[in-house]
Amino acid sequence: MEFPQQQKPAGDGKIIYPPGVKDITDKISNDEVVKRLKMVVKTYMDMDQDSEEEKQQYLGLALHLASEFFLRNPNKDVRLLVACCLADIFRIYAPEAPYTSHDKLKDIFLFITRQLKGLEDTKSPQFNRYFYLLENLAWVKSYNICFELEDCNEIFIQLFKTLFSVINNSHNQKVQMHMMDLMSSIIMEGDGVTQELLDTILINLIPAHKNLNKQAYDLAKTLLKRTVQTIETCIANFFNQVLVMGKSSVSDLSEHVFDLIQELFAIDPMLLTSVMPQLEFKLKSNDGEERLAVVRLLAKLFGAKDSELASQNRPLWQCFLGRFNDIHVPVRLECVKFASHCLMNHPDLARDLTEYLKVRSHDPEEAIRHDVIVTIINAGKKDLNLVNDQLLGFVRERTLDKRWRVRKEAMMGLAQLFKKYCLHHEAGKESALKISWIKDKLLHIYYQNSIDDKLLVEKIFAQYMVPHSLDTEEKMKCLYYLYACLDTNAVKALNEMWKCQNMLRGLVKELLDLHKLPVSEANNTAMFGKLMSIAKNLPDAGKVQDFMKKFNQVLGEDEKLRIQLEMLISPTCSCKQAEICVREITRKLTFPKQPSNPFLEMVKFLLERIAPVHIDSEAICALVKLLNKSIEGTADDDEEGVTPDTAIRSGLELLKVLSFTHPTAFHSAETYESLLQCLKMEDDKVAEAAIQIFRNTGQKIETELQQIRSTLIPILHQKAKRGTPHQAKQAVHCIHAIFNNKEVQLAQIFEPLSRSLNADVPEQLITPLVSLGHISMLAPDQFASPMKSIVANFIVKDLLMNDRSVGNKNGKLWTGDEEVSPEVLAKVQAIKLLVRWLLGMKNNQSKSANSTLRLLSAMLVSEGDLTEQKKISKSDMSRLRLAAGGAIMKLAQEPCYHDIITPEQFQLCGLVINDECYQVRQIFAQKLHLALVKLLLPLEYLAVFALCAKDPVKERRAHARQCLLKNISVRREYIKQNPLAQEKLVSLLPEYVVPFMIHLLAHDPDFTKPQEYEQLKDIKECLWFMLEVLMTKNENNSHAFLRKMVENIKQTKDAQCPDDAKANEKLYVVCDVALFVIANKSTACHLDSPKDPVLPSKFFLVQDKQDFKNDKEYLTTEMRQMLLTGKPKPAPVLGAVNKPLTVPGRRIFIKTTTASDTASNTSTNSSPLSSSTINKNSNSNAATESAESRTQENNENPVIKNDEAKKEEASQNVTPDAGTEALPVKRRGRPPKTAAAAPVVAEKEGAAAPGGGAGRGRKRGADPNSNPSAESINIKMSKQQQQNDEGTKRQIDLQR
């Protein structure tokens, strides 16, 4: 570059040097130049602005130092000294510089800037001069002179780049301060900051640069903080152009805008005052990736620890929350991840986040639901107060998620919270109380069908709820008080868990026993069966079967492994031994070269399930000690949140459960001594549990613990004679189980009890009846004969056939146990005694079973009032009906008695499931289900569930459907797992329930008119209730098999009454309805049946004529149309006009009540409604159907409105008078769809109106609607007639 002519000083233009300094020219050496320049530097350093004479004197020298010789000198020392001189010259001559040329000034400042690079090396000998240069420039603000230059920006950019590049961690505070002063003065005193200059600052904030030079980042950060007021406008302009206008070319940093915004916000939110609204605009971008970038940025800004952005900028916060519902999955995911930091750093925003997290907890994307849980749990683990009950509720819901990964995260998260706050009490009792529900919820998950869920619950229980790593006393204390605090369902789940683990231990033991036998085909088959049974209890059924085969092979080859496994499942294995065994077995199966070993994982799952990690003899002793402390009142019961009584009762229940799964762990005198103390306690439940523990564990008492035996026997005798019924039962069973001379012991109880029976004192009868019944069942050879005379002379004649007391006429169909009369309780026990006596004999040689079945049938026919003296109350009759139905069902479980149960008796038993009393239906259905699911009852009893389609209560219908699903599933699985079951398909295959169902429905007392639509609709609903479950899958062409079966039934006669034409017609009509349902629900039913069905000869007889063919259609075309659509085929308009009109209102058919009639309901709470009104209300009725039916149906005299009654009543134009009562229609089950809802009166039973007597015949579940009394009808009849007339007019108008 050509430099302009320098200014000449006044005078002759000769350069004056300081004293002692010779001319500095290019003729001398560099060393000499340096030497002379040092003296010049010293001179300028000593000068100040007031030295006017010296300033003028050395002006020429100042101009000379700016010559090209110095500015372009190759010697570094020369350049440094010249730069120091020039800096002093700017200081001395300030505010006017001696250099007037803009180009010269630019060259000088660029030269000085280049020299500042020397600041980088703090260990350089010249560093002090470089520091002096920086200090001088900063103090004087020399660079401000450049504002006058047109291209000053180039100088500033170079300066900023130089300073940011040279700063490092070896610089002290002064260096940084001077750099800051130098740069901040340029920003604050200039007209503005150009984009290029701004870039030199902002580039240091980008993560990549930030990590390279932390000091440059700190310098930029401090600079921005100092100049925030000035630079904010420039920053806003930059972001406006990039974010809003999309001009990414304005800066090389455009692609880093979001990183920069984050850094700037962290430095000072004021820097972004004008930028934040622009982000709101970006949040609504159509580009999903762009929205994602903005969400990531704002998540960091809102979630930062000290950020107040959410409160300062509410519109932006609300807009950001809206992205929780973004259509783009990654955006929603990012929002959910942000919520965790936000909850931890800003608890005040939890309320805003809750609603959005609720929606995302139901997100269709698995990953998002998973992260919602992680978010909430992480916040909860940091501080439970950060998450409210709603948020924890979302995690609770996700424990039932359809995806395993989500369920697992939710369950593990809750387990971690439970361990931290409930087990370790890290946040006090209040926090523990807040999440006390977790323990119950986690155990409830054990009810799920998935084996993965069950295994995880077991793992959680062993690691988080009762950590097996604790020492025995602490571990048992955890278990003791946990069990006391669990709800009923959680207790059942925990018991089931121990039962399953015990069952699996049994399977493994049986497998090991098979290994001890010689190799044979039969042994291999049995072994394979055991392996498949074990595999069902492990996850990933497909692979686990192969792994089990491999494991079995290893067991066969490795005797040491078998020994370890035998030790592990041994009843005497301690928890410590179990840990050693598991470790040894795992070590033997570990292959170091395989980092991932699924086979080993499967074996670990098996070992975790069968290893006794909690219970051994030592643990039982610890539990008993805790129980003793609770009894003595020295335990920490109240401190643990339970009362002493609760602790004792639940502690004994816990020991009772463990006595089933770990009986050998109880064999110690200390344990039995404590249990004897419990037997003497007043609490009946405690004593009962103690007896059961003795029964389960006391096999060695007689031989090894004589002292315990001598104390126990009189107590058991006393309980069997005068204890509660439950205690008596357990005492008899305990004597039978643990004593060798059981016959003598039982005789000592039997004799005095049999002599002391007195029906006049029923309160004292119940326990003796229980004891006698169980004794006769357990020792039939010894006591069957003496029992026969007791049964004939006392049980039947004296007790069951006599009503000594008058029941409480409170009008209820059910009362609590405490309100049942002692006489009825005695009768119920007498019925049970009959059954136990017969079950003990297991033969019908004396025809006692026939007599008993006739007695039970008579009780059902008489509705529980066997004597028909009307002394007994409605609620007591319900109890006796339930007992009779249950007794027939119990006898049917014994093959010799099942064979003599007649179809009529079977039908009477089945109809109990349609009883008018809700509780009778409920309890009977549960007993039926339990017996069926254990495969104790014959298949025909499964057909009884079809009648539940008529139940007026929605919950009962739902329960029945679940029972059907479970039973059918169990039977199908049993057939698969047992090859021998193929021979018994007729009694096992669920499809074979159809003939029994058809026969049962054909003999339904409600089915009186085979061509009446309402009755056929009920039949169709009952059929579909069963067929829907059976036809879920068309396995092995089962639909065609069902069709063939029904067609075959149509070619037979009803074996119950083969010569009754009407009975056979009803059977064929039900068959036609069944065929109609099957054909409408399946397209595959018309294929060929895989095999010819076998029909039960007890219910169906082959026709006498060999060429008989029943191809008659018993359903008319119109009836089929109505069954399909619920309405008849539409008639032509003219035809409709000419048909006689029907009156939409209904009238009540009145008949004087007789003893054999069913009593009417005289409630005045409801009135007859026109059909038009009913139809309008039908939808709202459905919602309250369940509650209403359960409250109204237990009235003493329930009445069911029926469309069938409408037709009869419409034809009878009878006006009731005050002395008559409405005759109820005997319709059982679900009310008509158009029935009007009655108001809810009470919870499960309602008070009935007085009047009315009970008649013969079974009543089914009552309609929740009540008919009005005769008086009520008289009062309202005229208004109803007006409604009817109006309805008639409306019909006429429509038909015109």
Side-chain angles (χ1 to χ4, degrees):
M1 177 184 288
E2 293 293 328
F3 292 94
Q5 186 67 36
Q6 292 184 12
Q7 293 181 20
K8 297 290 183 182
D12 56 4
K14 185 180 178 183
I15 299 171
I16 300 174
Y17 290 92
V21 180
K22 297 180 180 178
D23 289 357
I24 303 173
T25 66
D26 56 358
K27 306 296 184 184
I28 59 177
S29 66
N30 282 335
D31 291 342
E32 189 61 30
V33 171
V34 168
K35 182 179 177 184
R36 295 176 186 182
L37 280 174
K38 284 181 179 179
M39 297 174 70
V40 174
V41 168
K42 179 73 172 62
T43 301
Y44 278 123
M45 284 176 66
D46 294 338
M47 288 175 62
D48 55 39
Q49 289 180 323
D50 298 332
S51 309
E52 290 296 333
E53 185 179 339
E54 288 179 321
K55 283 164 62 176
Q56 188 61 33
Q57 181 181 355
Y58 296 124
L59 178 60
L61 179 58
L63 295 174
H64 177 57
L65 288 172
S67 67
E68 189 175 347
F69 166 71
F70 293 108
L71 298 183
R72 295 187 180 275
N73 198 292
N75 188 281
K76 184 169 67 171
D77 294 337
V78 171
R79 293 198 304 275
L80 171 60
L81 292 167
V82 170
C84 291
C85 290
L86 291 172
D88 275 325
I89 289 167
F90 283 120
R91 173 178 62 80
I92 295 163
Y93 290 92
E96 297 294 332
Y99 314 107
T100 55
S101 167
H102 285 193
D103 290 339
K104 177 55 69 176
L105 279 171
K106 178 180 177 182
D107 287 343
I108 291 171
F109 278 104
L110 287 173
F111 167 75
I112 293 173
T113 302
R114 286 193 295 272
Q115 306 321 303
L116 290 173
K117 288 182 179 178
L119 288 165
E120 189 170 11
D121 184 9
T122 55
K123 294 181 180 178
S124 165
Q126 303 296 333
F127 177 75
N128 287 337
R129 288 199 184 275
Y130 285 115
F131 177 75
Y132 173 77
L133 173 63
L134 173 66
E135 184 183 40
N136 210 345
L137 292 168
W139 185 67
V140 181
K141 300 181 181 179
S142 304
Y143 275 86
N144 290 12
I145 299 170
C146 298
F147 290 139
E148 304 297 327
L149 306 180
E150 290 181 5
D151 47 359
C152 62
N153 202 46
E154 184 184 342
I155 300 170
F156 296 151
I157 290 169
Q158 195 59 44
L159 174 65
F160 278 49
K161 283 182 176 179
T162 301
L163 294 179
F164 282 123
S165 66
V166 299
I167 190 166
N168 55 61
N169 57 8
S170 60
H171 287 141
N172 59 27
Q173 196 68 33
K174 286 186 177 181
V175 174
Q176 296 174 24
M177 182 185 69
H178 291 319
M179 287 182 177
M180 180 61 54
D181 291 343
L182 187 57
M183 290 190 286
S184 62
S185 67
I186 293 171
I187 293 172
M188 296 170 71
E189 296 180 22
D191 295 333
V193 179
T194 63
Q195 186 59 49
E196 292 82 359
L197 184 58
L198 185 62
D199 284 355
T200 61
I201 302 171
L202 297 182
I203 196 171
N204 297 288
L205 306 181
I206 294 171
H209 287 261
K210 174 181 174 181
N211 296 332
L212 285 173
N213 192 341
K214 180 69 169 59
Q215 285 67 37
Y217 168 78
D218 291 337
L219 183 63
K221 177 179 169 182
T222 311
L223 176 62
L224 288 166
K225 275 187 176 181
R226 183 180 290 189
T227 61
V228 61
Q229 298 294 335
T230 308
I231 208 167
E232 188 269 332
T233 309
C234 308
I235 290 172
N237 182 56
F238 163 56
F239 286 117
N240 183 56
Q241 290 192 64
V242 176
L243 294 175
V244 181
M245 301 173 70
K247 294 181 179 179
S248 58
S249 59
V250 297
S251 168
D252 294 335
L253 301 180
S254 298
E255 61 187 45
H256 301 290
V257 283
F258 296 133
D259 291 330
L260 289 173
I261 289 173
Q262 181 187 345
E263 291 295 342
L264 290 170
F265 184 81
I267 292 167
D268 191 339
M270 292 292 292
L271 290 165
L272 299 172
T273 304
S274 305
V275 177
M276 286 307 171
Q278 299 168 5
L279 291 178
E280 188 175 338
F281 166 77
K282 277 294 183 184
L283 276 175
K284 298 173 182 176
S285 167
N286 291 329
D287 183 353
E289 292 302 320
E290 193 169 40
R291 292 197 308 277
L292 176 61
V294 181
V295 164
R296 279 182 178 150
L297 166 67
L298 286 175
K300 294 170 183 174
L301 302 190
F302 284 121
K305 190 164 182 65
D306 299 318
S307 171
E308 296 180 3
L309 181 60
S311 57
Q312 292 172 352
N313 198 331
R314 293 299 293 179
L316 182 62
W317 171 242
Q318 291 300 328
C319 187
F320 174 76
L321 289 176
R323 291 307 94 206
F324 272 84
N325 299 328
D326 197 284
I327 195 171
H328 197 41
V329 173
V331 174
R332 301 201 303 273
L333 197 58
E334 197 62 41
C335 288
V336 169
K337 287 178 178 175
F338 145 79
S340 180
H341 302 289
C342 192
L343 286 171
M344 292 185 205
N345 296 335
H346 303 283
D348 52 307
L349 297 177
R351 184 179 296 179
D352 291 344
L353 289 170
T354 300
E355 282 306 310
Y356 291 95
L357 285 174
K358 179 181 180 180
V359 179
R360 294 286 60 82
S361 70
H362 296 93
D363 196 282
E365 285 294 322
E366 175 187 341
I368 293 175
R369 299 196 304 275
H370 175 272
D371 279 16
V372 168
I373 295 162
V374 173
T375 291
I376 297 169
I377 294 298
N378 285 345
K381 284 196 286 189
K382 183 180 180 184
D383 184 352
L384 195 59
N385 293 322
L386 296 177
V387 291
N388 53 43
D389 291 338
Q390 267 186 294
L391 291 172
L392 290 172
F394 304 156
V395 181
R396 182 178 188 156
E397 284 179 13
R398 290 305 97 205
T399 57
L400 300 177
D401 196 276
K402 60 183 177 181
R403 295 291 183 186
W404 164 239
R405 176 173 169 241
V406 180
R407 296 200 305 275
K408 181 180 179 182
E409 190 64 44
M411 291 160 68
M412 289 300 292
L414 290 176
Q416 289 162 7
L417 292 181
F418 178 82
K419 185 174 183 180
K420 182 171 184 176
Y421 297 112
C422 293
L423 207 59
H424 296 159
H425 296 289
E426 289 189 14
K429 286 188 176 180
E430 192 175 334
S431 293
L433 195 62
K434 179 180 176 181
I435 56 169
S436 59
W437 55 266
I438 288 180
K439 61 185 183 303
D440 297 315
K441 178 60 187 171
L442 289 172
L443 287 170
H444 290 171
I445 297 165
Y446 206 77
Y447 288 106
Q448 297 302 308
N449 292 327
S450 166
I451 191 69
D452 289 307
D453 289 316
K454 293 179 188 291
L455 285 171
L456 186 58
V457 172
E458 291 180 9
K459 182 177 181 180
I460 285 171
F461 182 79
Q463 294 183 3
Y464 295 93
M465 299 176 78
V466 184
H468 62 79
S469 55
L470 298 174
D471 62 68
T472 304
E473 287 188 7
E474 193 63 32
K475 185 165 55 179
M476 288 304 103
K477 186 177 179 182
C478 278
L479 179 58
Y480 184 78
Y481 288 110
L482 174 72
Y483 201 83
C485 296
L486 292 175
D487 67 25
T488 307
N489 290 327
V491 167
K492 287 180 181 176
L494 183 53
N495 296 347
E496 182 66 18
M497 184 182 86
W498 283 324
K499 178 182 167 186
C500 288
Q501 291 173 343
N502 193 49
M503 179 268 296
L504 192 56
R505 275 194 288 273
L507 288 172
V508 174
K509 184 179 186 306
E510 289 166 11
L511 179 66
L512 290 171
D513 290 342
L514 289 172
H515 274 284
K516 296 174 184 176
L517 300 175
V519 177
S520 67
E521 189 63 35
N523 193 24
N524 289 340
T525 305
M527 206 174 278
F528 179 77
K530 297 299 173 194
L531 291 173
M532 293 305 100
S533 297
I534 294 170
K536 281 198 306 182
N537 292 279
L538 298 171
D540 197 357
K543 293 180 182 177
V544 80
Q545 291 183 3
D546 295 332
F547 289 150
M548 279 308 303
K549 290 175 188 174
K550 182 179 176 182
F551 182 59
N552 189 49
Q553 186 180 348
V554 174
L555 280 178
E557 297 166 356
D558 191 336
E559 188 180 352
K560 289 184 178 178
L561 194 66
R562 288 202 306 275
I563 292 170
Q564 290 286 354
L565 196 57
E566 280 181 352
M567 191 183 298
L568 182 65
I569 60 171
S570 165
T572 57
C573 181
S574 69
C575 298
K576 291 177 182 176
Q577 280 178 321
E579 285 182 22
I580 296 168
C581 290
V582 169
R583 198 159 47 241
E584 283 299 310
I585 295 169
T586 307
R587 186 181 60 78
K588 281 179 179 289
L589 298 173
T590 302
F591 304 104
K593 294 181 180 178
Q594 291 184 2
S596 167
N597 189 346
F599 169 66
L600 182 60
E601 290 302 312
M602 184 282 302
V603 175
K604 283 182 179 177
F605 273 127
L606 176 62
L607 297 178
E608 283 174 6
R609 294 205 77 183
I610 64 175
V613 294
H614 285 114
I615 306 301
D616 56 10
S617 298
E618 189 182 347
I620 294 296
C621 285
L623 277 175
V624 170
K625 285 177 183 176
L626 284 166
L627 182 65
N628 288 337
K629 285 183 179 179
S630 293
I631 294 170
E632 294 162 4
T634 58
D636 306 328
D637 297 337
D638 293 325
E639 201 174 300
E640 296 291 338
V642 294
T643 62
D645 288 344
T646 305
I648 295 167
R649 184 175 292 190
S650 62
L652 262 173
E653 284 297 317
L654 171 60
L655 286 168
K656 182 176 82 175
V657 173
L658 294 175
S659 71
F660 285 101
T661 56
H662 300 79
T664 51
F666 285 77
H667 290 319
S668 74
E670 185 183 358
T671 300
Y672 288 134
E673 287 288 354
S674 298
L675 290 173
L676 285 172
Q677 293 302 315
C678 294
L679 280 175
K680 297 171 185 175
M681 291 181 67
E682 294 179 4
D683 191 321
D684 293 336
K685 291 279 185 183
V686 169
E688 180 193 334
I691 296 171
Q692 196 159 354
I693 294 170
F694 273 111
R695 172 188 169 183
N696 295 338
T697 67
Q699 282 71 21
K700 295 183 181 179
I701 285 179
E702 187 151 32
T703 55
E704 297 177 7
L705 299 167
Q706 288 293 325
Q707 187 176 352
I708 299 293
R709 176 187 182 279
S710 58
T711 310
L712 180 61
I713 287 177
I715 295 175
L716 292 178
H717 279 240
Q718 187 266 335
K719 295 294 182 185
K721 294 173 184 175
R722 290 180 293 280
T724 66
H726 288 293
Q727 290 173 356
K729 171 187 172 181
Q730 295 301 334
V732 170
H733 279 271
C734 185
I735 290 169
H736 186 264
I738 67 177
F739 297 123
N740 294 331
N741 62 338
K742 62 189 77 167
E743 293 84 2
V744 177
Q745 301 287 347
L746 293 176
Q748 290 174 0
I749 297 170
F750 184 89
E751 295 299 333
L753 287 182
S754 60
R755 289 195 301 269
S756 63
L757 295 175
N758 183 0
D760 294 325
V761 193
E763 302 86 16
Q764 297 175 13
L765 263 182
I766 299 168
T767 296
L769 289 175
V770 171
S771 293
L772 290 174
H774 282 283
I775 288 171
S776 61
M777 183 173 69
L778 293 172
D781 296 338
Q782 186 181 356
F783 299 105
S785 298
M787 273 301 297
K788 188 171 182 180
S789 61
I790 294 173
V791 167
N793 299 323
F794 178 79
I795 299 298
V796 178
K797 289 183 181 178
D798 208 13
L799 185 56
L800 293 177
M801 298 301 293
N802 278 310
D803 291 335
R804 288 173 167 75
S805 60
V806 178
N808 180 12
K809 301 290 183 180
N810 58 8
K812 295 180 180 179
L813 285 176
W814 189 267
T815 54
D817 292 350
E818 65 283 352
E819 295 180 49
V820 182
S821 67
E823 184 179 3
V824 169
L825 289 175
K827 286 184 177 184
V828 169
Q829 290 301 333
I831 292 170
K832 291 183 176 180
L833 180 145
L834 287 174
V835 173
R836 289 168 186 149
W837 170 55
L838 291 173
L839 290 176
M841 288 195 300
K842 292 185 182 177
N843 66 71
N844 192 33
Q845 294 171 358
S846 61
K847 303 296 181 185
S848 299
N850 296 91
S851 308
T852 302
L853 286 167
R854 286 196 297 273
L855 176 74
L856 296 172
S857 301
M859 186 163 285
L860 289 174
V861 169
S862 63
E863 302 196 9
D865 189 4
L866 196 59
T867 63
E868 297 187 351
Q869 296 175 2
K870 306 205 182 301
K871 289 183 177 181
I872 193 165
S873 70
K874 289 288 182 182
S875 58
D876 288 347
M877 287 166 65
S878 296
R879 294 271 178 173
L880 291 170
R881 289 197 303 275
L882 176 61
I888 295 175
M889 189 163 58
K890 194 77 175 173
L891 289 174
Q893 296 174 29
E894 189 60 48
C896 68
Y897 300 132
H898 167 248
D899 294 338
I900 63 170
I901 294 175
T902 66
E904 291 88 350
Q905 290 165 347
F906 163 64
Q907 289 151 16
L908 277 169
C909 175
L911 287 172
V912 177
I913 211 163
N914 277 158
D915 195 89
E916 59 186 336
C917 175
Y918 174 85
Q919 286 81 0
V920 172
R921 302 200 302 276
Q922 181 185 37
I923 297 167
F924 183 81
Q926 287 168 346
K927 288 176 179 288
L928 179 64
H929 170 65
L930 287 173
L932 281 167
V933 86
K934 293 176 182 176
L935 301 180
L936 297 174
L937 270 177
L939 182 61
E940 64 205 66
Y941 285 83
L942 187 61
V944 173
F945 277 119
L947 295 172
C948 290
K950 295 187 173 193
D951 201 297
V953 182
K954 185 179 178 182
E955 285 88 342
R956 298 274 16 100
R957 298 195 297 275
H959 174 261
R961 190 174 187 279
Q962 289 302 315
C963 291
L964 278 175
L965 286 166
K966 178 68 175 174
N967 275 290
I968 289 170
S969 168
V970 164
R971 287 173 183 273
R972 293 200 198 284
E973 189 64 29
Y974 181 82
I975 292 169
K976 283 181 188 175
Q977 298 295 331
N978 296 276
L980 298 175
Q982 296 294 330
E983 301 169 9
K984 302 177 183 177
L985 275 183
V986 177
S987 60
L988 288 170
L989 192 67
E991 278 74 14
Y992 272 113
V993 76
V994 171
F996 301 115
M997 173 177 64
I998 288 175
H999 192 274
L1000 183 63
L1001 292 175
H1003 288 273
D1004 188 336
D1006 285 347
F1007 188 37
T1008 55
K1009 297 183 179 179
Q1011 296 303 324
E1012 214 278 327
Y1013 167 67
E1014 284 296 328
Q1015 294 187 17
L1016 287 177
K1017 189 176 74 170
D1018 279 351
I1019 295 293
K1020 188 195 88 168
E1021 286 185 7
C1022 291
L1023 286 166
W1024 180 237
F1025 194 76
M1026 178 74 71
L1027 289 171
E1028 181 192 14
V1029 183
L1030 287 173
M1031 296 172 67
T1032 305
K1033 294 178 182 176
N1034 188 20
E1035 293 181 3
N1036 302 320
N1037 204 8
S1038 61
H1039 293 184
F1041 180 72
L1042 289 172
R1043 174 192 55 76
K1044 180 71 173 170
M1045 189 185 296
V1046 179
E1047 287 176 349
N1048 286 5
I1049 294 171
K1050 229 179 143 181
Q1051 307 307 317
T1052 65
K1053 290 192 293 185
D1054 188 344
Q1056 187 171 334
C1057 36
D1059 300 325
D1060 187 335
K1062 187 174 181 181
N1064 282 308
E1065 182 195 358
K1066 289 200 291 182
L1067 180 66
Y1068 302 146
V1069 169
V1070 176
C1071 287
D1072 270 7
V1073 176
L1075 288 170
F1076 171 76
V1077 170
I1078 293 169
N1080 271 291
K1081 302 298 181 182
S1082 170
T1083 55
C1085 67
H1086 297 293
L1087 301 173
D1088 291 336
S1089 172
K1091 58 177 72 175
D1092 201 37
V1094 180
L1095 299 179
S1097 58
K1098 189 175 178 180
F1099 293 87
F1100 304 101
L1101 288 180
V1102 179
Q1103 291 283 356
D1104 300 330
K1105 300 175 185 177
Q1106 291 186 351
D1107 59 345
F1108 177 81
K1109 187 176 182 183
N1110 184 5
D1111 53 4
K1112 179 182 175 182
E1113 295 283 346
Y1114 289 87
L1115 290 179
T1116 64
T1117 306
E1118 183 180 9
M1119 185 59 71
R1120 288 174 184 275
Q1121 175 70 18
M1122 290 179 71
L1123 287 174
L1124 187 62
T1125 63
K1127 53 189 176 183
K1129 211 170 183 178
V1133 176
L1134 287 174
V1137 170
N1138 292 328
K1139 282 188 177 180
L1141 298 173
T1142 56
V1143 180
R1146 60 168 293 185
R1147 294 185 185 175
I1148 312 301
F1149 175 67
I1150 304 300
K1151 178 183 173 184
T1152 305
T1153 307
T1154 63
S1156 59
D1157 292 331
T1158 307
S1160 70
N1161 190 323
T1162 56
S1163 168
T1164 58
N1165 290 334
S1166 60
S1167 62
L1169 299 175
S1170 68
S1171 58
S1172 58
T1173 310
I1174 290 169
N1175 288 331
K1176 287 178 185 176
N1177 293 335
S1178 61
N1179 290 335
S1180 62
N1181 294 344
T1184 54
E1185 176 188 356
S1186 167
E1188 291 165 357
S1189 54
R1190 286 165 70 172
T1191 56
Q1192 292 279 328
E1193 64 183 356
N1194 283 353
N1195 286 352
E1196 183 176 4
N1197 304 310
V1199 176
I1200 297 172
K1201 297 177 185 174
N1202 196 340
D1203 289 347
E1204 177 192 343
K1206 292 182 183 179
K1207 295 178 182 176
E1208 294 176 0
E1209 291 157 2
S1211 64
Q1212 305 282 338
N1213 191 8
V1214 181
T1215 305
D1217 43 55
T1220 60
E1221 292 179 330
L1223 175 69
V1225 181
K1226 288 187 184 177
R1227 173 192 167 84
R1228 295 175 294 183
R1230 195 186 308 189
K1233 295 254 190 323
T1234 55
V1240 176
V1241 182
E1243 198 171 338
K1244 274 193 182 175
E1245 59 260 354
R1256 287 183 182 276
R1258 293 295 306 110
K1259 285 189 275 186
R1260 296 204 192 178
D1263 185 345
N1265 308 298
S1266 303
N1267 276 346
S1269 68
E1271 293 175 4
S1272 167
I1273 295 166
N1274 267 333
I1275 295 166
K1276 298 183 180 179
M1277 184 58 76
S1278 59
K1279 186 174 180 181
Q1280 182 194 0
Q1281 191 63 51
Q1282 291 173 8
Q1283 292 173 345
N1284 294 347
D1285 293 341
E1286 289 172 10
T1288 307
K1289 289 176 185 175
R1290 280 197 298 274
Q1291 284 195 4
I1292 294 169
D1293 291 339
L1294 288 170
Q1295 290 169 352
R1296 284 177 185 164

